[in-house]
Amino acid sequence: MKKIVLSRQEIANRVRELGQMITRDFAHDELLLIGVLNGAFIFTADLARAIDLPLQVDFIRVASYGSGSSSSGTITFTKDVERPVGGKKIVLVEDIIDTGRTIARLQQHFLQSGAAGVHICALIDKKERREVAVHPDYAGFAVAEGFLVGYGLDFAEQYRNLPDVYHLENPEHP
Ligand code: IMP
Ligand code: MG
C-alpha cells in the first residue's frame, strides 16, 4: 500500500524555489552540481533547469550496504565525478537524507578534494533516524518518518519513475 505525500505540483513549486535560492546564492561562483546516483537523477535534472546561472553538472554513485530500506555505515564510491572539483563551489544534490551518513561522507570527500565549498541540497530531509549531525543548506521538504518512493526514490530499484512521492507502508512487503 502506498499513500501520496508530495504531489508533482508541490514538488515542481518547491524545486523552482530552491533553484531561485541557489541562483541568488551562487551568482558570483563557479558552480558545480553533483547529483548522487541513482536517487537524485530526476531531482538533479529539474533543479539544474531551475537555476539561472552558468553551471556544470556531474554525478557520483555510492553504494551503502544494508537492508532494502536502510543504509549502513559503510559507504563505497562506485562512480566518481569526472569534472575537476578544485576551486569549485559544489552543491551536492541528494534525494533524501536519512541517517546522514552518505551525505556527510560525500561532503568530507569533496572538501578534502579541494573544493572551495560544499553545500547540500536535499529534496527531502527525513530526521527520525539521523545519526550524523548534518543540516542541508537547501531542503525541499522535511518529513518526520516513513519510507518514501517516487520522483527518483526507490525501494529495491522500483518506483523511481513515479512522478509523485509516496509513503510505502510496509517496505519489506510492498
Ligand atoms: P543515509 O546515509 O542514511 O542518509 O541514506 C541516504 C540514502 O538512503 C538515500 O540516498 C537513499 O538512497 C536511501 N534512503 C533513505 N531513506 C529512504 C526512503 O525513505 N526512500 C528511499 N530511499 C531512502
Ligand atoms: Mg536508494
Side-chain angles (χ1 to χ4, degrees):
M1 262 290 288
K2 51 188 178 33
K3 269 201 330 245
I4 193 160
V5 289
L6 301 172
S7 73
R8 64 196 77 184
Q9 194 56 57
E10 282 176 89
I11 296 169
N13 293 343
R14 189 64 181 137
V15 170
R16 193 173 321 112
E17 290 173 358
L18 294 171
Q20 287 165 355
M21 290 183 233
I22 293 172
T23 300
R24 185 192 61 210
D25 294 350
F26 294 88
H28 307 290
D29 297 308
E30 268 193 82
L31 179 58
L32 173 61
L33 292 187
I34 298 180
V36 185
L37 294 172
N38 289 338
F41 78 114
I42 294 176
F43 181 38
T44 306
D46 285 345
L47 183 68
R49 284 177 288 183
I51 300 172
D52 187 18
L53 292 174
L55 57 78
Q56 295 183 334
V57 181
D58 206 337
F59 290 95
I60 191 161
R61 188 191 302 272
V62 295
S64 96
Y65 297 96
S67 76
S69 60
S70 78
S71 73
S72 71
T74 321
I75 285 139
T76 53
F77 293 73
T78 58
K79 180 214 170 299
D80 205 348
V81 293
E82 287 154 44
R83 307 255 55 82
V85 301
K88 296 271 171 59
K89 287 281 181 82
I90 291 174
V91 174
L92 282 173
V93 185
E94 175 64 305
D95 55 354
I96 186 165
I97 301 178
D98 185 15
T99 65
R101 289 180 184 282
T102 306
I103 206 70
R105 180 77 187 81
L106 287 173
Q107 188 172 38
Q108 176 199 35
H109 170 75
F110 288 113
L111 284 172
Q112 284 169 354
S113 308
V118 184
H119 292 75
I120 297 168
C121 180
L123 179 71
I124 298 165
D125 186 5
K126 187 167 79 175
K127 300 174 196 252
E128 67 167 338
R129 298 196 295 191
R130 193 63 46 85
E131 291 170 19
V132 179
V134 285
H135 304 282
D137 302 279
Y138 308 94
F141 302 91
V143 169
E145 58 183 358
F147 196 81
L148 307 178
V149 295
Y151 194 73
L153 291 133
D154 76 306
F155 175 70
E157 294 303 325
Q158 294 296 313
Y159 308 111
R160 294 195 196 276
N161 58 319
L162 302 178
D164 310 285
V165 170
Y166 295 83
H167 178 220
L168 200 59
E169 307 232 314
N170 194 348
E172 307 298 338
H173 306 278

